[in-house]
Amino acid sequence: LGFFSHAQVWQLIVLMLVAFVVAYIGGLVGLVLGTLRLPPILFMGYPVALAAGTNVAVSAIGAFTGALVHWRARRVHFRTFWVMVVPGMVGGFLGGYFGGQVPEGILLALIAIVVAWNGATILAQVLRTRAGAPAGLQSGMLARAAQNPVRRGTLEALISLAIGLLGGAVGLILGTLRLPALIRLGMDPRVAAGTNLAVAFPMGALGFGGHLLRGEVDFPLLVGMGIVTVAGSYLGARQTGRISARALQVLIGSILCIVALAMIPQAISRW
């Protein structure tokens, strides 16, 4: 399984600092942000498969820690969680199995475009909304359709299935697509953050299991990054309830735009 790390001590320290910052922001906004954590690991010279396996394990740890904090603060919508988690896992399996039919670069480029569009739309909506008005995207087509419980459940399941298919094909959890979808369905951004992390945990754990069976995990790095990820995700998630829904929405929109930019080099490298 490879219990000897590929990282030198200084590299481990740098990656732990990166992991803490990413986990803090992720816990706050409800994203695991593995897309931001992976490039520094690759920059340190890690093989792609080993970096991806370690990264998805850290993502699962961050998602679990953040979701637990949000659950204790009653910011996890459990009906939505159960409706989304099963289709998402099915989609992830199918995407991983059939994903080789489409070049990863094309899929990543498509994901980056959608993530950027979501981030820009969320920010634009906040700017258009007058002060004191609800921060959610309540006027959208998805939000109107979500007023019917049956339609809402169907939409959540289909969205999760589609995200799972894309994520499984490229090896990402893609909470960056699920979170804005939940907000567009009319969910409070703070509850959407907690629910998104809750859904991300089993997705990440499933991906970690696959890499573990193939020996694609650097355990010393996982332990180091995992410890600081628990601390960062815990502290970040505790701050979610202390900021307004509008401020959180601005932060989510900004992070989504940053993630989209970070995905461009990855898309080019896999073209």
Side-chain angles (χ1 to χ4, degrees):
L1 291 177
F3 286 91
F4 295 97
S5 178
H6 285 65
Q8 299 180 26
V9 174
W10 72 269
Q11 293 175 319
L12 182 59
I13 293 174
V14 171
L15 291 176
M16 287 174 66
L17 289 173
V18 170
F20 177 82
V21 174
V22 169
Y24 181 87
I25 298 173
L28 174 62
V29 301
L31 295 167
V32 294
L33 297 178
T35 307
L36 297 182
R37 195 188 309 107
L38 182 60
I41 301 177
L42 293 173
F43 182 76
M44 294 297 181
Y46 274 80
V48 175
L50 193 66
T54 306
N55 185 53
V56 76
V58 175
S59 292
I61 292 171
F64 177 80
T65 305
L68 185 61
V69 175
H70 286 294
W71 168 70
R72 294 182 64 182
R74 299 184 178 181
R75 292 193 296 267
V76 175
H77 196 288
F78 279 101
R79 186 198 60 77
T80 298
F81 167 78
W82 289 114
V83 168
M84 298 191 83
V85 71
V86 175
M89 295 178 74
V90 171
F93 173 79
L94 294 175
Y97 189 78
F98 295 105
Q101 307 301 317
V102 181
E104 285 189 358
I106 295 178
L107 293 175
L108 283 171
L110 175 62
I111 292 168
I113 292 171
V114 175
V115 170
W117 176 78
N118 275 315
T121 303
I122 289 174
L123 290 174
Q125 180 68 26
V126 173
L127 292 175
R128 287 196 302 265
T129 305
R130 31 186 194 81
L137 303 181
Q138 303 290 341
S139 59
M141 181 179 64
L142 285 180
R144 290 195 296 272
Q147 293 175 3
N148 182 299
V150 176
R151 289 181 181 177
R152 182 187 183 96
T154 303
L155 280 171
E156 290 170 345
L158 290 175
I159 288 170
S160 188
L161 177 64
I163 293 173
L165 286 168
L166 279 174
V170 297
L172 295 171
I173 296 175
L174 290 184
T176 46
L177 294 180
R178 191 184 308 106
L179 178 61
L182 290 174
I183 295 175
R184 288 177 177 280
L185 285 168
M187 188 175 290
D188 183 293
R190 292 162 292 196
V191 178
T195 305
N196 188 48
L197 284 178
V199 176
F201 168 64
M203 304 288 287
L206 186 66
F208 167 61
H211 284 282
L212 182 63
L213 290 176
R214 294 192 296 268
E216 296 169 348
V217 179
D218 186 303
F219 283 95
L221 180 61
L222 173 58
V223 171
M225 296 183 75
I227 291 173
V228 297
T229 293
V230 169
S233 185
Y234 174 81
L235 294 173
R238 283 177 59 89
Q239 297 300 315
T240 304
R242 300 178 183 177
I243 63 177
S244 68
R246 181 183 299 278
L248 183 59
Q249 200 165 319
V250 170
L251 188 56
I252 289 172
S254 302
I255 293 297
L256 289 177
C257 291
I258 293 172
V259 169
L261 290 174
M263 293 183 73
I264 294 175
Q266 297 181 50
I268 294 174
S269 67
R270 299 190 193 185
W271 201 272

